[in-house]
């Protein structure tokens, strides 16, 4: 044990020789109060009132040459009155004809731009960012976690204009104080940072110099002083909307619900209310998210749910304050969290049982009746986040020759999330907690397989010391679910835990349980700081009974993992690089029975070259592992180790034509199992307001042990596997055309085809055998396909009678998803959306891959079209 501890201890001590440049001395700017004639925001700076404020300059380059003088200087002024903050930024440029002015939609951050970050709470952890580019396109982000999180979904109402002259270009901003959050004080001190990007040189310079290796961002801002007599506004903002849509789809004769057309008129309201000077409540009533882009297509052959990112505006704005991730090293743990907002408004759990000749109409999603969110940070440094949402009971309508009946497919449900966190010592330390609750009203529903109540929560902490160089942080979680015997059986037998596994003697399947509890957490110790060498040691765990998926997300319970990471960063140009990162990782995992289930490590690295191309690559080694979920409830399967590597090369992002190539390859030690993927990212900008992106990708999967089915013979399970040869091809297309900064057209489309052919069927006989070929029995003479029915019959004892059978698993999956959105912000905060969405999905059991034939058959599928117009209007009271 002593020897094992020597290496981490030595590494932590040795990092002293890799220390970087210290942060610069803190700068201070004194804002000028003006009254009663504010400047007109036109980007010209010709109002006499600007002469009252002082210019400040002396910016420092941060990228690519960290700490060097910038190629062009920048200066700014700040003034204020009782309602607004006024900012002017002069971006000097001795070659004004080379200023890159790209017209995009909001929050694209393209071309030359300038930006001000404001820590109005002065908590050294959070801030608000306001960006405007040389074409007048605005961007804004909410900053949290000392600069680790930048939320571009925050969309305040503010004003900005630009102009270009012989000295360079100028940005002029008016930021209403109502859009910021700050305490009620006689005199304010805020943290500020001003940044500039010169696109043609890929250069960023900052007013308050913060080296790239600095362990933080907001905590090292300069200060804005002299703000006297301003009071936080108790604002009320209303955003009512009206919507009209028509859906056109394939008419099915005899089906009274498939008439080929469905029309809808609806409306709703979003509201933002300043409850106190520190806390804001967001409310949505009958929300609609018809303008939101569809999820990417996939073929999921695993036993686990896919994690998809949230895209709905109400849930993504300010999501960082409700964020509670259970950190973990590898991909299987990385999405685990207490709150996964896509649980709210999800597709119904149930589907009606239909008799012969019956048709049904089932809602695509459970309707959100109302949701409210309270967020903010008090003057004492306590962050608060509370969300409560109610989804309606959903019914499937069933028709039988004109006779109608209804069956409940989703109960009325209440979701609650509460989060608090307290900062100490200017954000150096923090402690917090979170609690979630889900309550379903299952009375009269006939649904007994869902939990009636589900609770989860935890406590987290963070502490940094030695000028934020070292840190220790931890997260703990607990869960408790309650329901009928059927509901808790579902939890015990599901893919997240498989209590029925015959070799899992450390857990017990109890069919009479009506509750289940579990715990988990993560503990990390590391060195960040302003140094080239960074280190982290972590331990994370999920007990067998942990269940978060009523309102959170956990992919797999019954896991514990140790991981170590070392990263070396060079942020100043040298040799052929502008910057370079190199990383080493090691990991090992166990189940709660004490068995090692996986181990591995990798080395990866890359960076930006001096010609502004980017390169990244990595090499992984995974040791032999114990796949406890491979047999879907059967005993653990000993699986071969594998080598894998990945790479990515990207061209100069400044060019009108850009491209990149990425790939991933893996080879298992036994079984001739391998996976290969390659893709291209390309972008073409024929003129400053139009961008076309084309990203094709192709993968080939040869898996000798792909699960097919579990069958029984004489009371014994038969775990059927096969060799899968799968090919997948898709193309993601995007077109962005910005007529003006406030009027944009966007198109997204993705044709996707995947085909899989199964062969060399086998049944698992000795899953832990030392030799690979001894773990299964291959079917040779025992199996035969009935071509007419598409069923494989298996005759184990060769007596001429089938002992069991399974469907032909070959597949051809074809899907096309697209949407076209016109977005016009006709006045600040108010938007008109015109949307056209189309979907096509087809499936066949052929298995043979032909992109031409699959694509042709895909576009023979009758489309499902939705045309939608949505208008909202912003009111500030």
């Amino acid at each position: 044990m002593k020897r094992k501890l020597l290496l981490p201890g030595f590494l932590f001590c040795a990092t002293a020789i890799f220390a970087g440049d210290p942060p610069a001395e803190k700068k201070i700017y004194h804002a000028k109060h003006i009254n009663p004639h504010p400047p007109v925001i036109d980007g010209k700076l010709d109002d006499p009132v600007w002469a009252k404020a002082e210019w400040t300059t002396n910016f420092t380059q941060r990228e690519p040459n960290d700490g060097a003088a910038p190629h062009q200087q920048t200066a700014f002024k700040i003034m204020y009155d009782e309602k607004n903050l006024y900012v002017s930024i002069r971006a000097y440029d001795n070659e004004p004809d080379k200023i890159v002015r790209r017209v995009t939609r909001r929050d694209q951050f393209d071309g030359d731009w300038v930006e001000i970050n404001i820590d109005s709470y002065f908590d050294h952890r959070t801030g608000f960012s306001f960006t405007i580019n040389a074409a007048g396109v605005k961007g804004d982000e909410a900053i949290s976690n000392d600069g680790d999180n930048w939320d571009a979904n925050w969309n305040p109402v503010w004003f900005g204009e630009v102009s270009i002259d012989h000295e360079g270009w100028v940005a002029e901003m008016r930021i209403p104080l109502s859009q910021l959050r700050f305490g009620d004080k006689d005199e304010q001190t805020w943290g500020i940072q001003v940044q500039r990007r010169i696109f043609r040189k890929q250069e960023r310079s900052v007013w308050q110099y913060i080296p790239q290796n600095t362990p933080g961002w907001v905590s090292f801002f300069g200060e804005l002083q002299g703000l006297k007599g301003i009071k936080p506004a108790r604002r009320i903002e209303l955003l009512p909307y009206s919507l009209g849509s028509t859906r056109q789809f394939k008419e099915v004769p005899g089906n009274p619900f498939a008439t080929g057309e469905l029309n809808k008129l609806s409306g709703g309201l979003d509201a933002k209310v300043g409850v106190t000077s520190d806390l804001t409540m967001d409310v949505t009533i009958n929300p609609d998210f018809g303008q939101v882009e569809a999820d990417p297509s996939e073929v999921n052959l695993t036993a686990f749910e896919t994690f998809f990112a949230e895209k709905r505006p109400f849930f993504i704005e300010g999501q960082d304050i409700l964020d509670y991730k259970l950190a973990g090293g590898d991909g299987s743990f990385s999405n685990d969290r207490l709150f996964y907002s896509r649980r709210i408004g999800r597709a119904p759990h149930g589907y009606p049982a239909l008799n012969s000749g019956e048709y049904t109409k089932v809602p695509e999603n459970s309707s959100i009746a109302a949701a409210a969110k309270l967020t903010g940070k008090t003057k004492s440094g306590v962050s608060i986040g509370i969300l409560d949402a109610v989804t309606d009971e959903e019914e499937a309508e069933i028709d039988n020759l004109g006779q109608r009946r209804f069956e409940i497919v989703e109960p009325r449900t209440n979701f609650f999330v509460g989060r608090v966190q307290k900062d100490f010592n200017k954000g150096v330390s923090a402690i917090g907690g979170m609690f979630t609750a889900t309550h379903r009203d299952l009375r009269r529903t006939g649904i007994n397989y869902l939990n009636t109540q589900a609770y989860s929560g935890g406590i987290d902490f963070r502490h940094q010391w030695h000028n934020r160089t070292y840190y220790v942080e931890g997260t703990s979680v607990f869960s408790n679910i309650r329901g009928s015997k059927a509901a808790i059986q579902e939890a015990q037998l599901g893919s997240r835990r498989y209590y029925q596994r015959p070799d899992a003697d450390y857990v017990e399947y109890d069919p009479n349980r009506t509750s289940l509890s579990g715990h988990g957490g993560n503990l990390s110790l590391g060195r960040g700081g302003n140094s080239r060498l960074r280190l982290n040691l972590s331990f994370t765990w999920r007990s067998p009974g942990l269940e978060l998926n009523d309102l959170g997300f956990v992919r797999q319970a019954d896991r514990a993992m140790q991981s170590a990471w070392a990263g070396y960063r060079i942020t100043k140009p040298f040799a052929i690089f502008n910057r370079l990162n190199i990383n080493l990782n090691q990991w090992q995992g166990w189940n709660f029975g004490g068995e090692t289930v996986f181990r591995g490590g990798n080395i990866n690295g890359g960076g930006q070259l001096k010609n502004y191309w980017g390169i990244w690559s990595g090499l992984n080694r995974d040791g032999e592992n114990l796949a406890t979920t491979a047999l879907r409830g059967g005993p653990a399967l000993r699986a071969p180790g594998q080598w894998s590597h990945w790479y990515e090369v990207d061209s100069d992002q400044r060019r009108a034509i850009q491209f990149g190539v990425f790939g991933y390859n893996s080879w298992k030690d036994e079984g001739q199992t391998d996976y290969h993927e390659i893709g291209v990212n390309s972008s073409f900008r024929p003129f400053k307001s139009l961008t076309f992106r084309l990203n094709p990708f192709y993968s080939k999967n040869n898996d000798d042990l792909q699960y097919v089915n579990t069958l029984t013979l004489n009371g014994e399970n038969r775990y059927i596997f096969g060799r899968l040869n799968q090919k997948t091809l898709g193309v993601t297309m995007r077109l962005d055309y910005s007529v003006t900064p406030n009027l944009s057209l966007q198109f997204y489309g993705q044709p996707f085809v995947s085909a899989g052919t199964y062969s060399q069927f086998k049944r698992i006989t000795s899953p832990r055998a030392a030799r690979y070929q001894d773990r299964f029995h291959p079917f040779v003479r025992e199996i035969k396909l009935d071509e007419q029915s598409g069923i494989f019959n298996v005759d184990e004892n060769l007596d001429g009678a089938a002992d069991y059978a399974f469907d032909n698993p070959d597949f051809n999956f074809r899907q096309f998803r697209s949407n076209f959105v016109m977005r016009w912000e006709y006045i600040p905060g108010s938007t008109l959306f015109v949307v056209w969405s189309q979907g096509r999905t087809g499936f066949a059991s052929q298995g043979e891959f032909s992109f031409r034939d699959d694509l042709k058959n895909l576009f023979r599928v009758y489309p499902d079209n939705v045309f939608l117009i949505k208008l909202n209007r912003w009111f500030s009271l």
Side-chain angles (χ1 to χ4, degrees):
M1 179 61 71
K2 290 183 179 180
R3 290 184 179 179
K4 292 182 179 179
L5 293 175
L6 282 177
L7 179 60
F10 170 76
L11 289 175
F12 271 81
C13 295
T15 54
I17 66 174
F18 297 104
D21 299 327
E25 181 181 350
K26 191 157 295 236
K27 293 183 175 182
I28 297 174
Y29 184 85
H30 292 272
K32 184 71 175 179
H33 181 264
I34 58 171
N35 192 32
H37 301 295
V40 176
I41 305 302
D42 55 12
K44 297 179 181 178
L45 302 186
D46 53 3
D47 296 275
V49 69
W50 279 116
K52 297 183 179 181
E54 302 250 345
W55 288 108
T56 186
T57 183
N58 295 324
F59 279 52
T60 305
Q61 190 178 155
R62 196 167 189 260
E63 294 179 10
N65 196 350
D66 198 5
H71 285 86
Q72 308 286 345
Q73 263 301 338
T74 309
F76 69 89
K77 294 182 177 184
I78 298 177
M79 306 186 300
Y80 72 98
D81 58 23
E82 284 68 27
K83 293 186 177 181
N84 299 282
L85 194 72
Y86 302 93
V87 182
S88 64
I89 303 176
R90 159 63 75 176
Y92 292 99
D93 199 318
N94 55 22
E95 297 180 289
D97 57 318
K98 293 185 179 180
I99 295 170
V100 179
R101 307 177 66 197
R102 291 189 172 177
V103 182
T104 67
R105 65 170 298 183
R106 187 171 183 153
D107 294 332
Q108 295 299 298
F109 308 104
D110 208 349
D112 282 56
W113 52 251
V114 293
E115 173 180 285
I116 182 168
N117 302 162
I118 303 172
D119 174 15
S120 53
Y121 278 131
F122 203 50
D123 61 1
H124 309 279
R125 296 284 298 172
T126 63
F128 304 98
S129 176
F130 300 86
T131 309
I132 190 165
N133 78 0
V137 179
K138 295 186 294 184
D140 27 63
E141 296 166 292
I143 310 169
S144 61
N145 199 21
D146 201 9
D148 283 347
N149 298 324
W150 295 69
D151 182 5
N153 301 291
W154 177 64
N155 287 313
V157 177
W158 59 285
F159 307 86
E161 295 292 340
V162 298
S163 65
I164 291 183
D165 57 26
H166 67 282
E167 291 186 290
W169 67 284
V170 170
E172 190 175 22
M173 307 178 187
R174 175 169 70 86
I175 302 171
L177 296 176
S178 63
Q179 304 301 297
L180 302 174
R181 299 184 186 182
F182 52 92
D184 189 359
K185 301 176 183 177
D186 292 334
E187 183 172 355
Q188 304 278 338
T189 297
W190 294 349
I192 62 162
Q193 175 68 288
V194 179
Q195 293 194 80
R196 176 188 180 183
R197 179 171 78 167
I198 303 175
F199 186 79
R200 66 183 183 273
K201 294 185 177 295
Q202 290 292 285
E203 177 182 299
R204 291 197 188 198
S205 57
V206 293
W207 172 63
Q208 175 67 60
Y209 176 53
I210 304 173
Q212 289 187 48
N213 282 325
T214 303
W217 177 249
V218 180
S219 54
F220 293 92
F221 280 4
E223 291 184 3
L224 178 65
Q225 297 182 359
L227 300 169
K228 300 178 181 179
I230 61 172
K231 298 295 180 182
R234 292 206 176 181
R235 56 191 175 121
I236 298 177
E237 298 178 12
L238 303 178
L239 191 69
Y241 82 86
S242 59
L243 177 146
S245 68
T246 180
R247 178 184 172 195
Q248 298 178 356
F249 50 95
K250 186 176 182 179
E251 181 179 359
V252 179
N255 185 343
F257 302 116
T259 60
E261 185 173 333
L262 182 65
N263 300 312
K264 175 184 176 182
L265 289 173
S266 66
L269 175 68
D270 293 332
K272 193 180 292 284
V273 180
V275 179
T276 68
S277 62
D278 304 311
L279 301 175
T280 299
M281 177 174 287
D282 294 270
V283 178
T284 186
I285 300 172
N286 191 34
D288 178 89
F289 307 109
Q291 74 274 20
V292 173
E293 186 177 287
D295 292 319
S297 302
E298 67 158 3
V299 175
N300 186 353
L301 299 177
T302 74
F304 302 105
E305 174 187 11
T306 299
F307 180 92
F308 287 112
E310 178 61 87
K311 299 179 181 180
R312 298 170 295 177
F314 176 81
F315 293 105
I316 54 181
E317 183 180 340
Q319 62 185 341
D320 58 282
I321 205 165
L322 295 173
D323 187 30
Y324 196 101
K325 292 181 182 177
L326 285 66
D330 76 340
S332 64
F333 286 135
S334 59
N335 290 317
D336 293 356
R337 62 197 63 205
L338 285 187
F339 177 47
Y340 179 40
S341 57
R342 291 191 61 146
R343 302 294 182 203
I344 303 173
R346 55 155 292 160
H349 286 87
Y351 194 86
L354 300 179
N355 299 316
S356 178
E358 289 188 326
Y359 297 95
T360 186
K361 179 175 69 174
V362 180
E364 293 182 358
N365 299 94
S366 52
S367 302
I368 302 174
K373 183 169 54 176
L374 181 69
T375 58
K377 192 164 192 173
T378 67
K379 343 182 229 199
S380 59
V382 178
S383 297
I384 298 173
I386 298 173
L387 182 143
D388 194 78
V390 176
T391 56
D392 285 330
E393 180 179 273
E394 299 293 345
E395 294 181 319
E397 187 175 0
I398 303 164
D399 181 273
N400 188 343
L401 300 177
Q403 298 295 315
R404 298 290 175 96
R405 61 185 176 90
F406 295 87
E407 186 174 320
I408 297 173
V409 292
E410 182 71 17
R412 187 175 180 85
T413 307
N414 180 257
F415 301 94
F416 173 84
V417 183
R419 174 81 159 118
V420 295
Q421 192 171 41
K422 172 75 167 91
D423 288 340
F424 300 94
N425 192 18
K426 297 183 178 180
V428 168
S429 304
I431 187 169
M434 188 166 183
F435 178 76
T436 78
T438 304
H439 291 95
R440 296 185 177 93
D441 184 0
L442 298 179
R443 296 170 298 178
R444 77 179 188 86
T445 66
I447 298 175
N448 67 349
Y449 50 83
L450 296 179
N451 302 321
T452 52
Q453 298 103 32
Y455 305 100
S456 68
I459 295 173
D460 63 333
F461 71 91
R462 179 194 71 255
H463 177 62
Q464 298 168 287
W465 70 95
H466 195 60
N467 196 28
R468 300 179 187 261
T469 299
Y470 297 95
Y471 63 88
V472 60
E473 55 190 21
T475 303
S476 66
V477 297
F478 74 87
S479 69
N480 176 261
I481 58 173
R482 305 172 188 178
S484 66
K485 293 179 181 179
I488 306 305
Q489 287 173 21
E490 183 101 356
Q492 295 178 83
L493 300 176
S495 62
R496 288 180 290 280
R497 48 193 57 82
Y498 287 138
Y499 273 17
Q500 71 273 34
R501 276 179 42 220
D503 55 350
D505 56 3
Y506 54 93
V507 294
E508 179 184 1
Y509 169 59
D510 182 355
N512 295 312
R513 279 187 181 179
T514 56
S515 67
L516 183 69
S517 297
H519 57 87
N522 184 80
L523 183 64
S524 292
L525 175 68
R527 174 183 168 107
N530 183 24
S531 64
R532 291 184 174 185
L533 183 63
R534 298 185 175 196
L535 302 166
N536 178 270
L537 298 171
S538 295
F539 181 77
T540 188
W541 77 96
R542 319 279 187 266
S543 77
L546 184 69
E547 178 54 68
L548 305 177
N549 288 330
D550 289 272
L551 188 48
F553 187 95
V554 62
R555 178 181 169 88
Q556 190 174 3
D558 188 19
R559 284 290 181 272
M561 184 180 76
Q562 165 271 324
S563 64
W565 165 75
Y568 188 78
R569 302 176 62 187
I570 302 175
T571 59
K572 295 183 179 181
F574 78 103
I576 62 172
F577 292 97
N578 277 330
R579 53 183 178 268
L580 177 67
N581 290 349
I582 299 174
N583 301 291
L584 288 169
N585 293 280
Q586 171 273 330
W587 58 84
Q588 183 168 356
W590 305 265
N591 61 26
F592 270 62
E595 296 177 297
T596 299
V597 291
F598 60 83
R599 60 166 64 91
N602 80 12
I603 180 171
N604 67 80
Q608 187 185 74
L609 304 178
K610 286 187 174 178
N611 64 356
Y612 300 102
W613 282 52
I615 57 171
W616 285 91
S617 187
L619 177 67
N620 287 44
R621 173 60 188 173
D622 290 290
E624 187 176 67
N625 64 86
L626 199 60
T628 57
T629 62
L631 272 59
R632 314 283 172 102
L637 175 66
R638 191 172 182 174
Q642 72 171 20
W643 288 97
S644 61
H645 78 84
W646 58 269
Y647 60 88
E648 182 173 355
V649 179
D650 296 305
S651 70
D652 187 347
Q653 302 298 297
R654 302 172 300 167
R655 305 303 180 190
I657 298 177
Q658 305 166 18
F659 66 90
V661 178
F662 63 89
Y664 174 85
N665 299 282
S666 68
W667 300 267
K668 290 198 173 179
D669 297 341
E670 299 176 279
Q672 295 182 333
T673 292
D674 53 84
Y675 178 87
H676 309 278
E677 180 177 2
I678 188 169
V680 175
N681 295 320
S682 62
S683 173
F684 174 53
R685 182 183 290 272
F687 47 93
K688 65 180 182 180
S689 58
L690 176 65
T691 303
F692 178 67
R693 296 179 177 87
L694 187 69
N695 304 328
F697 54 91
Y698 172 77
S699 66
K700 184 178 181 181
N701 178 30
N702 300 308
D703 191 344
D704 194 50
L705 286 178
Q706 173 61 51
Y707 176 84
V708 176
N709 209 336
T710 299
L711 304 165
T712 58
L713 177 63
N714 299 324
E716 296 183 358
N717 285 331
R718 294 293 189 263
Y719 303 103
I720 309 302
F721 281 65
R723 180 172 183 82
L724 171 64
N725 297 103
Q726 180 186 5
K727 297 178 181 178
T728 300
L729 181 63
V731 182
T732 301
M733 301 171 289
R734 296 182 185 275
L735 185 146
D736 295 278
Y737 177 49
S738 296
V739 184
T740 71
N742 298 319
L743 175 60
S744 64
L745 306 174
Q746 287 186 302
F747 171 78
Y748 161 82
Q750 187 192 70
F752 176 92
V753 297
S754 184
T757 303
Y758 287 78
S759 62
Q760 301 179 26
F761 293 101
K762 51 189 72 84
R763 66 180 178 92
I764 305 299
T765 54
S766 182
R768 293 182 184 240
R771 293 201 319 153
Y772 177 78
Q773 56 269 34
D774 293 339
R775 297 169 199 166
F776 52 83
H777 168 74
F779 293 138
V780 182
R781 294 187 299 155
E782 302 98 321
I783 192 167
K784 185 177 181 180
L785 174 64
D786 184 331
E787 299 285 353
Q788 186 173 359
S789 64
I791 293 176
F792 281 99
N793 293 296
V794 181
D795 179 11
E796 278 195 14
N797 56 11
L798 299 176
D799 64 356
D803 295 309
Y804 48 87
F806 57 90
D807 291 333
N808 184 355
D810 292 351
F811 63 88
N812 287 72
F813 178 76
R814 309 164 184 131
Q815 190 168 69
F816 176 71
R817 288 178 169 175
S818 70
N819 70 332
F820 171 84
V821 179
M822 187 202 80
R823 181 186 184 276
W824 177 33
E825 188 175 3
Y826 56 95
I827 57 174
S830 303
T831 310
L832 170 69
F833 294 96
V834 178
V835 182
W836 169 37
S837 299
Q838 184 182 102
R840 302 169 187 254
T841 301
F843 185 88
S845 299
Q846 300 163 348
E848 293 297 326
F849 178 85
S850 169
F851 182 67
R852 185 183 66 178
D853 292 342
D854 280 321
L855 193 64
K856 180 172 64 176
N857 290 327
L858 170 59
F859 284 97
R860 286 175 177 170
V861 175
Y862 198 94
D864 190 329
N865 289 299
V866 176
F867 300 92
L868 174 151
I869 297 177
K870 180 178 179 181
L871 178 70
N872 61 38
R873 177 69 164 85
W874 179 74
F875 297 93
S876 181
L877 306 180

